[in-house]
Amino acid sequence: MTPKKILVAQGGGPTAVINQSLAGVVLEARKFANVSRVYGAHHGVRGIVNEDLLDLTQETTHNLEMVANTPSSALGSTRDKPDAKYCHEIFKVLQAHEIGAFFYVGGNDSSDTVRIVSEEAAKANYPLRCIHIPKTIDNDLVGNDHTPGFPSAARFVAQAFTGANLDNAALPGVYVGVVMGRHAGFLTAASALARKYPDDGPHLIYLPERAFDTDKFLADVKEVYGKYGRCVVAASEGIHDSAGAPILSKLSGELEKDAHGNVQLSGTGALADLLCEEIKNKLGIKRVRGDTFGYLQRSFAGCVSDVDQREAREVGGKAVQYAMSGVGNGSVAIKRVGEYAVDYPLITLETVAGKTRVMEDVFINAAANDVTPAFFDYLRPLLGSDLPSVARLRGAVLPKAK
Amino acid sequence: MTPKKILVAQGGGPTAVINQSLAGVVLEARKFANVSRVYGAHHGVRGIVNEDLLDLTQETTHNLEMVANTPSSALGSTRDKPDAKYCHEIFKVLQAHEIGAFFYVGGNDSSDTVRIVSEEAAKANYPLRCIHIPKTIDNDLVGNDHTPGFPSAARFVAQAFTGANLDNAALPGVYVGVVMGRHAGFLTAASALARKYPDDGPHLIYLPERAFDTDKFLADVKEVYGKYGRCVVAASEGIHDSAGAPILSKLSGELEKDAHGNVQLSGTGALADLLCEEIKNKLGIKRVRGDTFGYLQRSFAGCVSDVDQREAREVGGKAVQYAMSGVGNGSVAIKRVGEYAVDYPLITLETVAGKTRVMEDVFINAAANDVTPAFFDYLRPLLGSDLPSVARLRGAVLPKAK
């Protein structure tokens, strides 16, 4: 293989470990004598078009390790979706810098970007190796057991609900926590891992994989509240009615969309407030509180799964190995091969690109308000080491003396 | 001193370290041969009235240590404010169980409860040692350098803004994070500790100690956005106009109040949404996102300052020592005596009870949109060890080649 320059960029929403993949690419590339330079593009494909490039070749290993442990996309990100014209602008810049390989760390929209760039490069006879490196807190890439970024976000959600459940037990009432996830409920479902004792919350979990019925929801809350004198609810921001209309849109009217056609659901507390109002008004419960976890869950500094860190590093390294071994374009995937062990096969871009995995039926209970034991088995090994452990007082209740 | 039974309870909002103080009381009491039993009341003073008591005497040290590391009030909490009649109900129960000392872990409302109980006990000639143990994430107890619970919540806020700033840098726009704090801005101000590089956010910090002017706010955001192409804002939930009306009430109309007359500001995302709408509509900035940190910041499992843990343990232990040494009723306070070292004097209940400390002028900048260097000096030692560190890529920008 001839000496080549390679370029790496990051697309879509940031995660806690997306820079591990960046470090994986840069550090692995140094092992190949025929890689002469490693460039980074600021803000994804837009940075390529704008020729806003960075030379990462002489980045120190220490600083790369520091950046790897820093949440959010160190190169910056974008939600741009390229068309043929956009791709030709990309190729002009890549050609001017003699770049032979393009690595893009991102989710399903970014994998679609890699597919488009790959196809347009072939049409234009531009020799470009295109590798997609997986990343998304939504865990919604098809062809993957799970995606880097999801385990750390899931850990944040589990830790948040561990605390929220205890807070709700101390000052009883109803608590509603709204979690990110447009179509896939994996992250909301992760709240279940907060449970330790049988009466721990979240007591109810609502996922976008099932239609949300407000009357059913209120009946569920009423039942739990009657049983425990309190209730903790986890709801996905993407919950929708049986016609597919987001519950949020009932309140907020027209919603913002990005270039990929995704409706904007995060960055507002409206859904939690709407659900709380329903509970207050219809069930007459006084203490009802709602939180929307928002951007904290994907970029919080200091809440990360070590399993996620290692895997995010490895998919970056594997991407370079696949590119250099000449097996063709594709997407690095995570395949579970043991409990717990994974492999990183290269799958075709078409398998992943622009498609959305949702939670498998086996993970959702029949009443559509909780997860199944199978989901615990699936998620537990991903959350990593040293999860905070909580305990209760065991002291005997004093007999009445008054 | 005659053998006695003692009782401990927890009041007000939970914190990440309030159980350290509980463990401090129970473990210290074991060192005194004349303490025969240690009881806990469920849900604060209400648990006493309801005779809902727990025997903590035989709680294992291991379990106490586990509980100490568990966020939120392990005994449960209350916002009840006792009057004379309520106190007499308390005394009936205390007398029936021969309880001679009452320890109450709580904030300014709970210290007021201790003052009332102490005064009513004197009037009723009921011999009761009453000690208030400080706790509040709001850091608003007078007579204290700071309060247990605040450093851990401040750490959460700093870590959250560290991530939010990086997220906002990756996908630029305006980000508004709303932080707890009704009258005191300490917790919102803690967001400033998220900064590392000169252009890091939060770029603007709005505190309840200064009147909030929407036009001034919009001008501030516009200026920062013009300079950096992005803007991160930290706003206290308690921001109010020059007449003292909460900005939140302009949107939400009548607000819920508790027994102490406190307006309910948390548990809704409305303020963040209101500020975001103003920015979108008046400044024409498209990507504007708001998060309300809500209950996560006071009970998140796994984000705690080790300094806070140790101090919360010590105020519990000191409370027992003061009670057994017979120096009278009072409130254990934290006094800074070195950089960094503290003492724990016992101050009068009247000094603390029902009063609210707000941020000193020396901590707030003249433009009322940031903190001063003095605030960094004040807060840094409290945040504890091993704060997450972030880094940037240093790679040189590539010269244009196209």
Side-chain angles (χ1 to χ4, degrees):
Chain A
M1 188 165 282
T2 52
K4 62 161 90 176
K5 298 177 184 173
I6 70 171
L7 181 139
V8 58
Q10 298 170 313
T15 79
V17 298
I18 188 170
N19 295 328
Q20 291 283 354
S21 300
L22 172 65
V25 168
V26 179
L27 293 172
E28 190 69 22
R30 290 180 182 175
K31 299 175 185 163
F32 291 86
N34 53 341
V35 174
S36 60
R37 314 296 296 174
V38 181
Y39 296 151
H42 276 138
H43 296 291
V45 284
R46 187 148 45 92
I48 308 179
V49 170
N50 294 342
E51 214 183 337
D52 183 6
L53 308 181
L54 206 66
D55 190 347
L56 303 174
T57 315
Q58 297 185 13
E59 201 72 39
T60 66
T61 304
H62 174 72
N63 198 49
L64 275 172
E65 292 294 350
M66 291 277 291
V67 169
N69 282 306
T70 299
S72 185
S73 319
L75 285 168
S77 192
T78 182
R79 294 200 183 276
D80 277 9
K81 180 178 182 172
D83 56 13
K85 186 168 168 289
Y86 197 110
C87 286
H88 286 279
E89 294 300 314
I90 289 176
F91 302 147
K92 276 186 210 164
V93 173
L94 296 182
Q95 199 146 31
H97 291 277
E98 301 171 319
I99 291 163
F102 167 52
F103 299 91
Y104 207 35
V105 194
N108 33 24
D109 292 329
S110 300
S111 66
D112 202 32
T113 293
V114 180
R115 180 191 59 80
I116 294 167
V117 169
S118 166
E119 287 172 9
E120 293 296 330
K123 281 187 211 165
N125 281 317
Y126 182 77
L128 183 69
R129 177 66 69 235
C130 301
I131 308 281
H132 168 246
I133 298 168
K135 168 263 13 164
T136 168
I137 64 161
D138 293 332
N139 202 38
D140 62 352
L141 291 191
V142 301
N144 284 269
D145 177 75
H146 61 277
T147 56
F150 166 66
S152 294
R155 187 176 167 118
F156 181 93
V157 168
Q159 290 185 208
F161 272 95
T162 296
N165 170 63
L166 293 165
D167 200 298
N168 179 261
L171 289 169
V174 178
Y175 176 84
V176 179
V178 170
V179 181
M180 275 187 175
R182 203 176 281 122
H183 302 294
F186 291 102
L187 198 54
T188 305
S191 62
L193 279 283
R195 296 175 193 149
K196 177 170 175 174
Y197 299 92
D199 58 334
D200 273 342
H203 308 98
L204 299 167
I205 299 174
Y206 298 97
L207 307 163
E209 283 80 359
R210 297 289 182 267
F212 183 85
D213 178 276
T214 306
D215 293 335
K216 168 75 162 50
F217 163 68
L218 291 171
D220 287 350
V221 171
K222 192 179 173 182
E223 190 188 331
V224 171
Y225 193 81
K227 191 171 174 186
Y228 298 123
R230 66 187 193 95
C231 180
V232 176
V233 177
S236 165
E237 63 178 8
I239 53 169
H240 53 80
D241 64 19
S242 56
I247 303 300
L248 175 60
S249 70
K250 295 189 172 190
L251 187 78
S252 299
E254 205 177 326
L255 298 169
E256 192 180 320
K257 284 189 183 180
D258 73 6
H260 297 272
N262 301 310
V263 163
Q264 174 60 32
L265 298 173
S266 303
T268 163
L271 180 59
D273 289 354
L274 173 72
L275 296 176
C276 288
E277 280 307 306
E278 287 285 330
I279 295 166
K280 274 187 207 171
N281 297 338
K282 305 277 173 61
L283 299 183
I285 298 170
K286 206 192 152 202
R287 190 170 191 278
V288 184
R289 306 285 185 255
D291 278 339
T292 304
F293 292 4
Y295 295 93
L296 299 190
Q297 62 204 310
R298 76 180 187 197
S299 293
F300 190 80
C303 184
V304 67
S305 154
D306 52 354
V307 170
D308 196 18
Q309 284 180 310
R310 288 193 293 269
E311 292 180 351
R313 176 69 64 101
E314 291 212 70
V315 289
K318 288 306 293 181
V320 173
Q321 292 176 6
Y322 282 125
M324 300 311 291
S325 64
V327 292
N329 297 349
S331 175
V332 180
I334 299 185
K335 188 180 166 186
R336 191 181 301 219
V337 295
E339 293 307 333
Y340 174 78
V342 294
D343 271 355
Y344 303 100
L346 189 74
I347 61 178
T348 64
L349 288 166
E350 293 69 29
T351 309
V352 188
K355 290 180 185 143
T356 302
R357 174 191 179 191
V358 295
M359 279 181 77
E360 289 73 15
D361 289 343
V362 71
F363 290 154
I364 306 173
N365 77 339
N369 60 11
D370 204 349
V371 299
T372 60
F375 184 74
F376 284 81
D377 296 342
Y378 166 75
L379 185 53
R380 257 196 216 100
L382 307 185
L383 297 182
S385 317
D386 300 326
L387 268 173
S389 181
V390 300
R392 290 182 182 182
L393 295 167
R394 296 201 191 99
V397 173
L398 271 193
K400 307 262 176 186
K402 191 181 72 170
Chain B
M1 188 166 281
T2 52
K4 63 161 88 177
K5 298 177 183 174
I6 69 171
L7 182 139
V8 58
Q10 298 170 313
T15 79
V17 298
I18 187 169
N19 295 329
Q20 291 284 354
S21 300
L22 173 66
V25 168
V26 179
L27 293 171
E28 190 69 23
R30 289 179 183 175
K31 297 177 188 164
F32 291 85
N34 54 341
V35 174
S36 60
R37 314 296 294 173
V38 181
Y39 295 151
H42 276 137
H43 297 290
V45 282
R46 187 147 48 90
I48 308 179
V49 170
N50 294 341
E51 215 183 337
D52 184 5
L53 308 181
L54 207 65
D55 190 348
L56 303 174
T57 316
Q58 296 185 15
E59 200 73 39
T60 65
T61 304
H62 174 73
N63 199 51
L64 274 173
E65 292 294 350
M66 292 277 289
V67 170
N69 283 305
T70 299
S72 186
S73 320
L75 286 169
S77 193
T78 183
R79 294 200 184 275
D80 277 10
K81 179 179 181 170
D83 55 14
K85 186 166 169 290
Y86 197 109
C87 285
H88 287 278
E89 293 300 314
I90 288 177
F91 302 147
K92 276 187 211 164
V93 173
L94 295 182
Q95 200 146 30
H97 290 278
E98 300 170 322
I99 290 164
F102 168 51
F103 300 91
Y104 207 35
V105 194
N108 31 24
D109 292 328
S110 300
S111 65
D112 202 32
T113 293
V114 181
R115 179 191 60 79
I116 294 166
V117 170
S118 166
E119 287 173 7
E120 293 295 331
K123 281 188 213 167
N125 280 318
Y126 183 76
L128 184 69
R129 177 67 67 238
C130 299
I131 307 281
H132 168 245
I133 299 167
K135 167 264 13 163
T136 168
I137 64 162
D138 293 332
N139 202 39
D140 61 353
L141 292 190
V142 301
N144 284 269
D145 178 75
H146 61 278
T147 57
F150 166 67
S152 294
R155 187 177 168 118
F156 181 93
V157 168
Q159 290 184 208
F161 272 95
T162 296
N165 170 64
L166 292 164
D167 200 298
N168 179 261
L171 289 169
V174 178
Y175 177 84
V176 179
V178 170
V179 181
M180 276 187 174
R182 202 177 281 122
H183 303 294
F186 290 103
L187 197 54
T188 306
S191 63
L193 278 284
R195 297 176 193 148
K196 178 169 174 174
Y197 299 92
D199 58 333
D200 273 342
H203 308 97
L204 298 167
I205 300 175
Y206 298 96
L207 307 163
E209 283 80 0
R210 298 288 182 268
F212 183 84
D213 179 276
T214 306
D215 292 336
K216 168 75 162 50
F217 163 68
L218 291 171
D220 286 351
V221 171
K222 192 178 174 183
E223 189 188 331
V224 171
Y225 193 80
K227 191 170 174 188
Y228 298 124
R230 66 187 193 94
C231 180
V232 176
V233 178
S236 165
E237 63 179 8
I239 53 169
H240 53 80
D241 64 19
S242 55
I247 303 300
L248 175 60
S249 70
K250 297 190 172 188
L251 188 79
S252 298
E254 205 177 327
L255 298 170
E256 192 180 321
K257 284 189 184 181
D258 72 8
H260 297 272
N262 301 310
V263 162
Q264 174 60 34
L265 298 173
S266 301
T268 164
L271 179 60
D273 288 355
L274 172 73
L275 296 176
C276 287
E277 280 308 305
E278 287 285 330
I279 296 165
K280 274 186 206 169
N281 297 338
K282 305 277 173 61
L283 299 183
I285 298 170
K286 206 192 151 201
R287 191 170 190 277
V288 184
R289 305 286 185 255
D291 278 340
T292 304
F293 291 4
Y295 295 93
L296 300 190
Q297 62 204 312
R298 76 180 187 196
S299 293
F300 190 81
C303 183
V304 68
S305 154
D306 51 355
V307 171
D308 196 18
Q309 285 180 310
R310 287 193 294 268
E311 292 180 351
R313 176 69 64 101
E314 291 211 71
V315 290
K318 288 305 293 180
V320 173
Q321 292 176 8
Y322 282 124
M324 300 310 290
S325 64
V327 292
N329 297 349
S331 175
V332 180
I334 299 185
K335 187 179 166 188
R336 192 181 300 217
V337 295
E339 292 306 335
Y340 173 77
V342 295
D343 272 355
Y344 303 101
L346 189 74
I347 62 178
T348 65
L349 288 166
E350 293 68 29
T351 309
V352 188
K355 291 182 184 140
T356 302
R357 173 191 179 192
V358 295
M359 279 181 77
E360 288 74 14
D361 289 343
V362 69
F363 290 154
I364 306 173
N365 76 339
N369 61 11
D370 204 348
V371 298
T372 60
F375 184 74
F376 285 81
D377 295 341
Y378 167 76
L379 184 54
R380 257 196 217 101
L382 308 185
L383 296 183
S385 317
D386 300 325
L387 269 173
S389 181
V390 300
R392 291 183 181 182
L393 295 166
R394 296 203 192 99
V397 173
L398 272 193
K400 307 262 177 188
K402 191 182 72 172

